[in-house]
Amino acid sequence: MTPTSNPPPGGRSPSAPELSNAASNFALRMSVIDCATDAALDRTRDRHGRTVHPAAAEAARARRDKAAAEAYRTHLAPHAEALLGVARLVLDELPPAQHLAGWQAVLDGLHATTVEIHRILERPMGPGSEEERAQHAALWPHLTVWADHGYIASALVDQRAVGQHQKNPLPDDERQKWTDMAMAAQRRGALELIESWYAADGQPITLAYLVEDDESIVVALRGDPGAPGWRVIGHYEHEYEAGKDLPAPVPPGVLRPGLSRHNRPAPAPEMSLQDLLRDVVEGRSAGDVSNALLGAVQRGYAAGPMVRLQELVETSSKFASALETVRGRQVAGRLSALGRQIEFLIREVNEAAEDLGATVAVLPPHRTPVVRVRPRPAVDTSPPVPPPFAGMPVRHR
């Protein structure tokens, strides 16, 4: 398999939408491959996440590597270099913003990855051979770079088509009038935020419903709605009209820059809360229940559910803080406090579990099991008719 990086002699250059779609189609195909591989790898693990069929797991990864290489050849190889070229031109045209240096680094990384992919594919291998499998395995980490970060190049190319500026800005006096109306509505709780994004200049834009005289109007705000200084830059009948007028969104950021959706570490073995609860219900001695409780608060590689819950809350606190908004920081503080409370609860459960185990006690024999034997119906009887669906209670959310 050899890559094709340039259009054929005499052929037309691909349009911006074609270049953008090339990266999008490759990322979509990689997501499909990744989901199929995850399902195949799940079948090679036991209920606690340990791999028990290593040969099947290796075969699943080999199929993944081959499918990813084919997806690159089909969707991205003919357009990768042209896509990066247009993306660099658009990047140079954008107004100064804090995120541009990071985007430049992403484009440089995609270029280096493309060069490495071409180097690996320089020597064609026999179909189905061990050499081809090794080649596909060597390609996988480079293909995932495009799958994880190619959307930056695609978004830059899209910026050229959709525009970076508001098409119909409001006059200063009208902008101030609507800003005063929106601030008054916010004070009385009649400003409902519905959507937010960042423009190419790094400024946040938020759509909101402004309720005035029992009528709902869509307004666009520039700035943090939770902090002083924001202003209304447009008002519209509906969100679609707003989307056509306002600056196009740029891709949002990430919480941890070094993570990859396609190269996640193998899941750590863990005991579910349902399994621990079953151990308690089926336990006979205090030690059985003590072990279940200790499993819930176990730390380290195979951390228990309560420790995982603390990690979830604390990581969510970091996410809320990373939003860099007033309300985000407020929520981050609440989540951080909840994380500390869970930490206290973990210590209490751990001490209670150890005290329970130290009792060295078992359930008294008078707590005897109950034999549940269902009587067999007579041969000439018919099974009971289930009640009609109309008579079943309706569950409301």
Side-chain angles (χ1 to χ4, degrees):
M1 182 181 69
T2 56
T4 305
S5 304
N6 299 303
R12 67 175 183 86
S13 299
S15 64
E18 289 175 334
L19 294 175
S20 177
N21 289 337
S24 300
N25 291 338
F26 175 71
L28 177 61
R29 181 57 190 156
M30 287 289 284
S31 295
V32 173
I33 294 170
D34 201 37
C35 289
T37 304
D38 284 344
L41 291 176
D42 284 343
R43 293 191 291 269
T44 68
R45 303 184 180 111
D46 64 11
R47 60 188 306 195
H48 302 305
R50 295 183 292 259
T51 299
V52 292
H53 302 291
E58 182 180 356
R61 293 189 182 93
R63 291 192 299 270
R64 175 201 67 183
D65 297 344
K66 180 179 180 180
E70 291 296 335
Y72 177 82
R73 182 184 65 177
T74 302
H75 298 290
L76 193 56
H79 306 298
E81 294 180 358
L83 173 66
L84 291 175
V86 175
R88 291 184 187 278
L89 292 176
V90 176
L91 184 65
D92 293 338
E93 299 170 357
L94 294 181
Q98 185 177 358
H99 58 270
L100 297 189
W103 283 10
Q104 181 66 60
V106 169
L107 295 183
D108 292 342
L110 291 174
H111 172 72
T113 293
T114 304
V115 172
E116 185 64 18
I117 291 172
H118 291 178
R119 186 192 66 79
I120 295 174
L121 293 176
E122 282 179 352
R123 294 180 54 193
M125 303 296 178
S129 64
E130 289 296 327
E131 291 78 9
E132 186 187 52
R133 292 185 62 174
Q135 184 185 61
H136 291 164
L139 280 174
W140 171 256
H142 302 289
L143 299 181
T144 59
V145 172
W146 265 105
D148 286 325
H149 308 296
Y151 71 93
I152 297 291
S154 180
L156 281 168
V157 173
D158 288 338
Q159 281 287 322
R160 170 168 289 184
V162 298
Q164 307 158 16
H165 306 286
Q166 186 176 3
K167 297 177 177 60
N168 299 297
L170 294 177
D172 292 343
D173 56 344
E174 188 174 358
R175 184 188 307 149
Q176 186 61 48
K177 167 192 168 183
W178 280 92
T179 300
D180 294 340
M181 290 173 56
M183 288 183 173
Q186 186 184 50
R187 287 192 293 269
R188 66 174 185 270
L191 189 68
E192 180 185 353
L193 308 182
I194 54 177
E195 185 181 2
S196 179
W197 68 86
Y198 279 86
D201 60 0
Q203 289 295 313
I205 295 177
T206 303
L207 294 184
Y209 289 131
L210 190 157
V211 181
E212 189 81 22
D213 298 330
D214 295 330
E215 291 186 1
S216 180
I217 306 169
V218 176
V219 293
L221 320 176
R222 180 179 281 271
D224 181 1
W230 60 268
R231 64 186 187 276
V232 173
I233 61 173
H235 56 90
Y236 313 92
E237 292 185 2
H238 44 72
E239 295 95 317
Y240 178 72
E241 182 184 359
K244 293 191 299 182
D245 177 60
L246 294 170
V250 298
V254 295
L255 181 61
R256 294 178 179 173
L259 294 185
S260 168
R261 291 188 177 185
H262 300 278
N263 287 308
R264 297 188 182 102
E270 62 180 2
M271 184 74 70
S272 70
L273 272 176
Q274 187 173 355
D275 290 338
L276 296 173
L277 180 59
R278 185 195 60 194
D279 290 344
V280 173
V281 173
E282 297 178 355
R284 303 293 181 88
S285 69
D288 297 333
V289 180
S290 174
N291 288 335
L293 289 172
L294 290 173
V297 297
Q298 176 175 306
R299 302 180 187 272
Y301 174 67
M306 291 187 66
V307 176
R308 296 296 187 198
L309 175 61
Q310 182 189 22
E311 293 175 359
L312 172 64
V313 171
E314 291 180 345
T315 305
S316 299
S317 172
K318 294 176 182 177
F319 181 94
S321 178
L323 294 174
E324 298 182 4
T325 64
V326 171
R327 295 187 66 180
R329 286 189 287 270
Q330 292 171 350
V331 175
R334 292 167 57 190
L335 290 172
S336 179
L338 288 172
R340 292 191 295 271
Q341 293 178 29
I342 297 174
E343 171 63 27
F344 172 78
L345 184 60
I346 288 173
R347 292 198 300 267
E348 288 292 302
V349 171
N350 188 83
E351 292 180 7
E354 292 179 347
D355 291 344
L356 181 61
T359 63
V360 196
V362 297
L363 292 175
H366 65 77
R367 301 186 64 90
T368 56
V370 176
V371 179
R372 300 187 181 274
V373 179
R374 295 182 179 180
R376 298 181 61 183
V379 177
D380 57 348
T381 60
S382 58
V385 179
F389 288 103
M392 297 180 65
V394 179
R395 182 178 180 182
H396 297 280
R397 298 186 65 179

Coordinates of all heavy atoms in Angstrom, one line a residue, residues 43-78:
R43 N -14.7 -8.9 24.8 CA -15.0 -10.4 24.8 C -13.8 -11.2 25.2 O -13.9 -12.4 25.4 CB -15.5 -10.8 23.4 CG -16.9 -10.2 23.0 CD -17.4 -10.8 21.8 NE -16.7 -10.5 20.6 CZ -17.0 -9.5 19.8 NH1 -18.0 -8.7 20.1 NH2 -16.3 -9.2 18.7
T44 N -12.6 -10.5 25.2 CA -11.4 -11.3 25.6 C -11.1 -11.1 27.1 O -10.1 -11.6 27.6 CB -10.2 -10.8 24.8 OG1 -9.9 -9.5 25.2 CG2 -10.5 -10.9 23.3
R45 N -12.0 -10.4 27.9 CA -11.7 -10.1 29.3 C -12.7 -10.8 30.1 O -13.9 -11.0 29.7 CB -11.7 -8.6 29.5 CG -10.7 -7.8 28.7 CD -10.7 -6.3 29.1 NE -9.8 -5.5 28.3 CZ -10.1 -4.6 27.4 NH1 -11.4 -4.4 27.2 NH2 -9.2 -4.0 26.7
D46 N -12.4 -11.0 31.4 CA -13.3 -11.5 32.3 C -14.2 -10.4 32.9 O -14.0 -9.2 32.5 CB -12.6 -12.3 33.5 CG -11.7 -11.5 34.3 OD1 -11.7 -10.2 34.2 OD2 -10.9 -12.0 35.1
R47 N -15.0 -10.7 33.9 CA -16.0 -9.7 34.4 C -15.3 -8.5 35.1 O -15.9 -7.5 35.3 CB -17.0 -10.3 35.3 CG -16.3 -11.0 36.5 CD -17.3 -11.8 37.3 NE -18.5 -11.0 37.7 CZ -19.3 -11.4 38.6 NH1 -19.2 -12.6 39.2 NH2 -20.4 -10.7 38.9
H48 N -14.0 -8.7 35.5 CA -13.3 -7.7 36.3 C -12.3 -7.0 35.4 O -11.5 -6.2 35.9 CB -12.5 -8.3 37.4 CG -13.4 -9.1 38.4 ND1 -14.5 -8.5 39.0 CD2 -13.4 -10.3 38.9 CE1 -15.2 -9.3 39.8 NE2 -14.5 -10.5 39.7
G49 N -12.3 -7.2 34.1 CA -11.4 -6.5 33.2 C -10.1 -7.1 32.9 O -9.3 -6.5 32.2
R50 N -9.8 -8.3 33.4 CA -8.5 -9.0 33.1 C -8.6 -9.7 31.8 O -9.6 -10.4 31.5 CB -8.2 -9.9 34.2 CG -8.0 -9.3 35.6 CD -7.6 -10.3 36.6 NE -8.7 -11.2 36.9 CZ -9.5 -11.1 38.0 NH1 -9.2 -10.1 38.9 NH2 -10.4 -11.9 38.2
T51 N -7.6 -9.6 31.0 CA -7.5 -10.3 29.7 C -7.3 -11.8 29.9 O -6.3 -12.2 30.5 CB -6.4 -9.7 28.8 OG1 -6.7 -8.3 28.5 CG2 -6.3 -10.5 27.5
V52 N -8.2 -12.6 29.5 CA -8.1 -14.0 29.6 C -7.9 -14.8 28.3 O -7.7 -16.0 28.3 CB -9.3 -14.6 30.4 CG1 -9.4 -14.1 31.8 CG2 -10.6 -14.2 29.6
H53 N -8.0 -14.0 27.2 CA -7.8 -14.6 25.9 C -6.8 -13.8 25.1 O -7.2 -13.0 24.2 CB -9.1 -14.8 25.1 CG -10.2 -15.6 25.8 ND1 -10.0 -16.9 26.0 CD2 -11.3 -15.2 26.4 CE1 -11.1 -17.4 26.6 NE2 -11.9 -16.4 26.9
P54 N -5.5 -13.8 25.4 CA -4.6 -12.9 24.8 C -4.4 -13.1 23.3 O -4.2 -12.1 22.6 CB -3.2 -13.3 25.5 CG -3.5 -14.6 26.1 CD -4.9 -14.7 26.4
A55 N -4.6 -14.3 22.8 CA -4.4 -14.5 21.3 C -5.6 -13.8 20.6 O -5.4 -13.1 19.6 CB -4.4 -16.0 21.0
A56 N -6.8 -13.9 21.1 CA -7.9 -13.2 20.5 C -7.8 -11.7 20.6 O -8.1 -11.0 19.7 CB -9.2 -13.6 21.2
A57 N -7.2 -11.2 21.7 CA -7.0 -9.8 21.8 C -5.9 -9.3 20.8 O -6.1 -8.2 20.2 CB -6.5 -9.4 23.2
E58 N -4.9 -10.1 20.6 CA -3.9 -9.7 19.6 C -4.5 -9.7 18.2 O -4.2 -8.8 17.4 CB -2.7 -10.7 19.7 CG -1.6 -10.3 18.7 CD -0.4 -11.3 18.8 OE1 -0.5 -12.2 19.7 OE2 0.5 -11.2 18.0
A59 N -5.3 -10.7 17.9 CA -6.0 -10.7 16.6 C -6.9 -9.5 16.4 O -7.0 -8.9 15.3 CB -6.8 -12.0 16.4
A60 N -7.6 -9.1 17.4 CA -8.5 -7.9 17.3 C -7.7 -6.6 17.0 O -8.1 -5.8 16.2 CB -9.3 -7.7 18.6
R61 N -6.5 -6.5 17.7 CA -5.7 -5.3 17.4 C -5.1 -5.4 16.0 O -4.9 -4.3 15.4 CB -4.6 -5.2 18.5 CG -5.1 -5.0 19.9 CD -4.0 -4.7 20.8 NE -4.5 -4.5 22.2 CZ -4.5 -5.4 23.1 NH1 -4.1 -6.7 22.8 NH2 -5.0 -5.1 24.3
A62 N -4.8 -6.6 15.5 CA -4.3 -6.7 14.2 C -5.3 -6.2 13.1 O -5.0 -5.5 12.2 CB -3.8 -8.1 13.9
R63 N -6.6 -6.7 13.4 CA -7.7 -6.2 12.5 C -7.9 -4.7 12.6 O -8.1 -4.1 11.5 CB -9.0 -7.0 12.9 CG -9.0 -8.4 12.6 CD -10.4 -9.0 12.7 NE -10.9 -8.9 14.0 CZ -10.8 -9.8 15.0 NH1 -10.0 -10.9 14.7 NH2 -11.3 -9.6 16.2
R64 N -7.7 -4.2 13.8 CA -7.9 -2.7 13.9 C -6.8 -2.0 13.1 O -7.1 -1.0 12.4 CB -7.7 -2.4 15.4 CG -7.7 -0.9 15.7 CD -7.1 -0.7 17.1 NE -5.6 -1.0 17.1 CZ -4.9 -1.0 18.2 NH1 -5.4 -0.7 19.4 NH2 -3.6 -1.3 18.1
D65 N -5.5 -2.4 13.3 CA -4.4 -1.8 12.6 C -4.6 -1.8 11.1 O -4.4 -0.8 10.4 CB -3.1 -2.4 12.9 CG -2.8 -2.3 14.4 OD1 -3.4 -1.5 15.1 OD2 -1.9 -3.1 14.9
K66 N -5.0 -2.9 10.5 CA -5.2 -3.1 9.1 C -6.4 -2.2 8.6 O -6.3 -1.5 7.6 CB -5.6 -4.5 8.7 CG -5.8 -4.8 7.2 CD -6.0 -6.2 6.9 CE -6.3 -6.4 5.4 NZ -6.5 -7.9 5.1
A67 N -7.5 -2.1 9.3 CA -8.6 -1.3 9.0 C -8.3 0.2 9.0 O -8.7 1.0 8.1 CB -9.8 -1.6 9.9
A68 N -7.5 0.6 10.0 CA -7.1 2.0 10.1 C -6.2 2.4 8.9 O -6.3 3.5 8.4 CB -6.3 2.2 11.4
A69 N -5.2 1.5 8.5 CA -4.4 1.8 7.4 C -5.2 1.9 6.1 O -4.9 2.8 5.3 CB -3.3 0.7 7.3
E70 N -6.2 1.1 5.9 CA -7.0 1.2 4.7 C -7.9 2.4 4.8 O -8.1 3.1 3.7 CB -8.0 -0.1 4.7 CG -7.2 -1.4 4.4 CD -6.6 -1.4 3.0 OE1 -7.1 -0.6 2.1 OE2 -5.6 -2.1 2.8
A71 N -8.3 2.8 6.0 CA -9.1 4.1 6.1 C -8.2 5.3 5.7 O -8.7 6.2 5.1 CB -9.7 4.2 7.5
Y72 N -7.0 5.3 6.1 CA -6.1 6.4 5.8 C -5.9 6.4 4.3 O -5.9 7.5 3.7 CB -4.7 6.2 6.5 CG -3.7 7.3 6.1 CD1 -3.8 8.5 6.8 CD2 -2.8 7.1 5.2 CE1 -2.9 9.5 6.4 CE2 -1.9 8.1 4.8 CZ -1.9 9.3 5.4 OH -1.0 10.3 5.1
R73 N -5.6 5.3 3.7 CA -5.4 5.3 2.2 C -6.6 5.8 1.5 O -6.5 6.6 0.5 CB -5.0 3.9 1.8 CG -4.7 3.8 0.3 CD -4.4 2.4 -0.2 NE -5.6 1.6 0.0 CZ -5.7 0.3 -0.4 NH1 -4.6 -0.3 -0.9 NH2 -6.8 -0.4 -0.3
T74 N -7.8 5.4 1.9 CA -9.0 5.7 1.2 C -9.4 7.2 1.4 O -9.8 7.9 0.5 CB -10.1 4.8 1.6 OG1 -9.8 3.5 1.4 CG2 -11.4 5.1 0.9
H75 N -9.4 7.7 2.6 CA -10.0 9.0 2.9 C -9.0 10.1 3.1 O -9.3 11.2 2.7 CB -10.8 8.9 4.3 CG -11.9 7.9 4.2 ND1 -13.0 8.1 3.5 CD2 -12.1 6.7 4.8 CE1 -13.9 7.1 3.7 NE2 -13.3 6.2 4.4
L76 N -7.8 9.9 3.6 CA -6.9 11.0 4.0 C -5.7 11.1 3.1 O -5.2 12.2 2.9 CB -6.6 10.9 5.5 CG -6.0 12.1 6.1 CD1 -6.8 13.3 5.9 CD2 -5.7 11.8 7.6
A77 N -5.1 10.0 2.7 CA -3.8 10.1 2.0 C -3.8 11.0 0.8 O -2.8 11.8 0.6 CB -3.4 8.7 1.6
P78 N -4.8 11.0 0.0 CA -4.8 11.9 -1.2 C -4.8 13.4 -0.8 O -4.6 14.2 -1.7 CB -6.0 11.5 -2.0 CG -6.4 10.1 -1.5 CD -6.0 10.2 0.0

